[in-house]
């Protein structure tokens, strides 16, 4: 069983984001980290390979500046190796462009299963997984909250508005997993040390034979035309509870005539 | 100036068109001369309702059976567009199937998708933009689609107000699903419904949501009790959905539901940007949190800095005794 997990490396969400008014992209500073949303896919992949009695989990990531910090975290969890696509020509790449790059990189691997998160924490388009599946000519199941494989067939509980659907799908396939599907393991000290020696193959657009016009700003098919501050909501009255604050809520509701 | 033709992805549940689709129709009417829908199912079931909301035609695939809907619908729409006479713009709701259809369609037509959009500005077919809130709704980014071919936009729920205009039934036309090959192999074996009783998050006038500050799964009962007293819908932050305290259908926020009730009461919720984008549009916001620095207070009309285990029981008692 060979599982590829697409992992995004993103700016630390704990640091407030800012848009660069010049390039109109997210300002990036410092190291990128593993998107927490993708740690679920990594954990899921490790468990599926275990359950299958053997195989390999490998990673694919597209990131600027030869960034590997986030990949190392996933390698420390137990993935065997990674492909990193990094190229100055990728700046400004849209979701579809990203899917094109990931599809080419995955094409080198020929996996049984490709896992992604349902949406990235910083871009949250949520379209990359399905675009990727279409480009690879594969079926996809999005919003998986549980994944099992028996006799080469996926059994998935897929989130729906009213509950969930039990879905089956033959391999190979692309599956996007929701947060909370599994409990991502913390990398052990041994894992962290081992990760340093694991192979990360770095590829450029030329290596993947991708036309520069298909990606980057040029290939995006979109242009940011305006960035404005949204109408701010003002904070109202804030009171400290000294035993009677619930009465404030009661009179607030009374004033609105809902009680 | 306006567009010639807009297509709206129609979704329905148990024979009723989903509110999100009706919201999209309201916007489509505003910006286009002709509004049509496409539907993965039997169009006769919903032609009257779509017509009442301004659609003149519903292109329908017929019953899709146990197929997962995204692939066949996108393939059918792409095939129709290839025949010529496609729309200037395709509007889909940010729903499970909406994202699947949009993603597939985007790759098939080799055009981008604008996502998380809350407003659409369309001057003419070559000047279509979407507005997307970022950083928890503090900043609005407008993006113009510049590629050739139909523009695809995924719109967040509650962005527009649905309104019936009382037209004739939409005409039902066949949308043929082509051979799907390997991509169509995902099959639904069984559907499970785990719906909550009482008012629904989507349309309740009051929502009471609980977060990790409740401390313990059992304490969510207080949120349910308060919700019941106020005839409100109970909701949740993602933290407690991930923890398994409540089903996913309770989640409010970026990956959950967008709610716009008259009153939103947040209990033990910090106010992460991803939560706020789902409830910021509420008319009044009440927050109870023991940390006076919690971001939720920056948008609350009434903020109570206090312990939920003290404030909630008293509030419930006060309401019960009325
Ligand atoms: C891609 C992505 C998508 C996401 N989508 C969503 C989404 O759709 N919806 C969502 O909600 N989140 C979403 N999140 C998660 C979000 O970032 C937060 O982690 C989450 O909202 C936190 O939930 P919380 O406020 O319940 O928990 P916490 O952030 O842990 O906050 C708990 C709060 O309770 C308070 N508290 C503790 N004890 C008490 C007490 N005794 N009395 C009163 N107050 C107390 C604390 O002061 C704290 O403010 C998403 C994250 C990512 C990365
Ligand atoms: N640059 C990237 N490198 C690797 N995987 C990615 C990248 N961008 C998106 N993905 C995958 O696609 C998922 C959805 O991303 P998005 O469509 O941006 O919300 C992410 O959670 C990742 O699993």
């Amino acid at each position: 069983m060979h599982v590829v997990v697409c992992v995004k490396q993103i700016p630390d969400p704990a640091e407030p984001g800012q848009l660069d008014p010049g390039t109109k992209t997210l300002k990036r500073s410092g190291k990128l980290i593993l998107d927490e949303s993708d740690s679920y896919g990594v954990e899921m992949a490790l468990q599926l390979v275990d359950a299958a009695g053997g195989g390999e989990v490998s990673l694919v990531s597209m990131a600027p500046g030869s960034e590997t910090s986030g990949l190392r975290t996933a390698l420390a969890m137990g993935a065997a190796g990674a492909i990193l696509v990094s190229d100055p020509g990728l700046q400004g790449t849209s979701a579809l462009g990203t899917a094109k790059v990931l599809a080419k990189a995955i094409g080198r691997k020929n996996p049984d299963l490709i896992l992604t998160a349902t949406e990235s924490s910083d871009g949250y388009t949520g379209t990359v997984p399905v675009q990727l599946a279409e480009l690879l000519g594969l079926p996809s199941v999005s919003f998986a909250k549980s994944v099992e494989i028996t006799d080469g067939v996926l059994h998935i509980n897929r989130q729906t508005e009213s509950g969930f659907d039990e879905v089956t799908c033959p391999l190979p396939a692309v599956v996007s997993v929701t947060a909370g599907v599994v409990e991502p393991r913390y990398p052990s000290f041994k894992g962290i040390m081992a990760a340093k020696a694991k192979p990360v193959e770095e590829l450029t657009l030329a290596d993947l034979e991708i036309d520069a016009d298909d990606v980057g700003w040029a290939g995006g098919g979109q242009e940011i035309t305006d960035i404005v501050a949204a109408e701010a909501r003002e904070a109202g009255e804030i009171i400290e509870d000294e035993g009677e604050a619930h009465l404030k809520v009661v009179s607030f509701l009374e004033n609105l005539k809902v009680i | 100036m306006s567009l010639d033709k807009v297509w709206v992805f129609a979704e329905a549940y148990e024979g009723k068109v989903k509110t999100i689709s009706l919201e999209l129709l309201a916007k489509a009417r505003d910006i286009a001369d002709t509004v049509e829908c496409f539907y993965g199912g039997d169009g006769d079931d919903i032609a009257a309702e779509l017509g009442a909301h301004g659609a003149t035609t519903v292109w329908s695939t017929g019953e899709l059976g146990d197929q997962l809907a995204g692939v066949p619908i996108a393939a059918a729409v792409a095939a129709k567009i290839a025949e010529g006479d496609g729309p200037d713009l395709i509007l889909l709701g940010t729903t499970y199937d909406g994202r699947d259809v949009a993603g597939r369609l985007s790759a098939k037509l080799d055009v981008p998708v604008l996502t998380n959009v809350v407003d659409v500005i369309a001057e003419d077919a070559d000047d279509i933009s979407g507005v997307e809130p970022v950083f928890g709704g503090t900043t609005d980014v407008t993006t113009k689609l510049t590629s050739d071919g139909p523009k695809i936009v995924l719109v967040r729920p509650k962005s527009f107000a649905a309104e019936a205009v009382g037209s004739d039934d939409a005409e039902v036309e066949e949308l043929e699903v082509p051979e799907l090959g390997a991509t169509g192999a995902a099959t639904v074996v069984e559907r499970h419904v785990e719906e909550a009783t009482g008012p629904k998050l989507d349309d309740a006038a009051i929502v009471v949501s609980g977060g990790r500050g409740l401390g313990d799964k059992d304490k969510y009962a207080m949120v349910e009790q308060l919700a019941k007293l106020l005839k409100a819908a109970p909701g949740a932050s993602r933290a407690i959905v991930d923890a398994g305290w409540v089903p996913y259908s309770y989640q409010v926020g970026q990956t959950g539901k967008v709610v716009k009730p008259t009153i939103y009461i947040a209990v033990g919720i910090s106010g992460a940007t991803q939560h706020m984008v789902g409830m910021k549009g509420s008319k009044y916001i009440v927050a109870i949190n023991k940390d006076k620095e919690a971001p939720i207070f920056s948008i609350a009309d009434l903020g109570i800095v206090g312990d939920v285990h003290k404030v909630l029981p008293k509030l419930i008692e006060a309401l019960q005794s009325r």
Side-chain angles (χ1 to χ4, degrees), chain A residues 100 119 166 223 233 236 254, chain B residues 144 189 192 255 282 300 322:
Chain A
K100 287 178 182 173
E119 57 180 15
E166 272 177 66
E223 182 194 334
R233 254 197 107 103
E254 266 172 350
Chain B
K144 183 176 158 181
V189 188
H192 296 261
T255 17
S282 308
R322 288 169 68 89

Side-chain angles (χ1 to χ4, degrees), chain B residues 185-305:
Chain B
T187 316
V188 179
V189 188
E190 206 178 326
R191 299 181 196 277
H192 296 261
V193 175
E194 44 183 35
E195 221 144 8
T197 51
K200 293 222 172 24
L201 263 185
D202 293 298
D203 38 42
I206 307 179
V207 171
V208 184
S209 284
R212 187 147 45 196
L214 290 166
D216 187 89
K217 181 175 179 175
D218 298 341
K219 295 288 189 288
Y220 189 80
M222 292 197 294
V223 170
E224 282 172 324
Q225 219 180 342
L226 179 58
K228 206 159 174 210
L229 285 165
L230 295 173
K231 297 190 181 58
S237 72
R238 189 173 101 176
I240 73 166
V241 172
D242 285 356
W245 296 5
V246 293
Y248 176 85
S249 53
Y250 284 52
Q251 184 173 319
V252 172
Q254 182 179 303
T255 17
K257 296 223 158 76
V258 177
V259 299
K260 281 192 180 173
T262 311
I263 307 174
Y264 188 87
I265 306 180
V267 178
I269 291 178
S270 60
T273 55
Q274 296 95 345
H275 186 80
M276 303 233 257
V277 292
M279 42 68 77
K280 243 187 105 190
S282 308
K283 191 137 189 240
Y284 299 99
I285 296 171
V286 178
I288 306 172
N289 193 305
K290 71 172 182 193
D291 173 12
K292 67 174 188 297
E293 305 293 331
I296 191 81
F297 287 133
S298 70
I299 61 162
D301 299 283
L302 175 63
I304 306 291
V305 182

Side-chain angles (χ1 to χ4, degrees), chain A residues 5-9 35 37-38 60-63 95 98 102 115-129 131-132 176, chain B residues 99:
Chain A
V5 189
C6 299
V7 298
K8 196 170 181 188
Q9 304 178 81
D35 186 344
S37 304
D38 285 322
V60 172
S61 187
M62 175 184 119
T98 304
L102 297 177
L115 294 182
T116 70
T118 53
E119 57 180 15
S120 60
S121 300
D122 64 336
Y124 53 91
T125 79
T127 55
V128 169
Q131 287 166 327
L132 176 62
S176 75
Chain B
R99 288 214 241 189

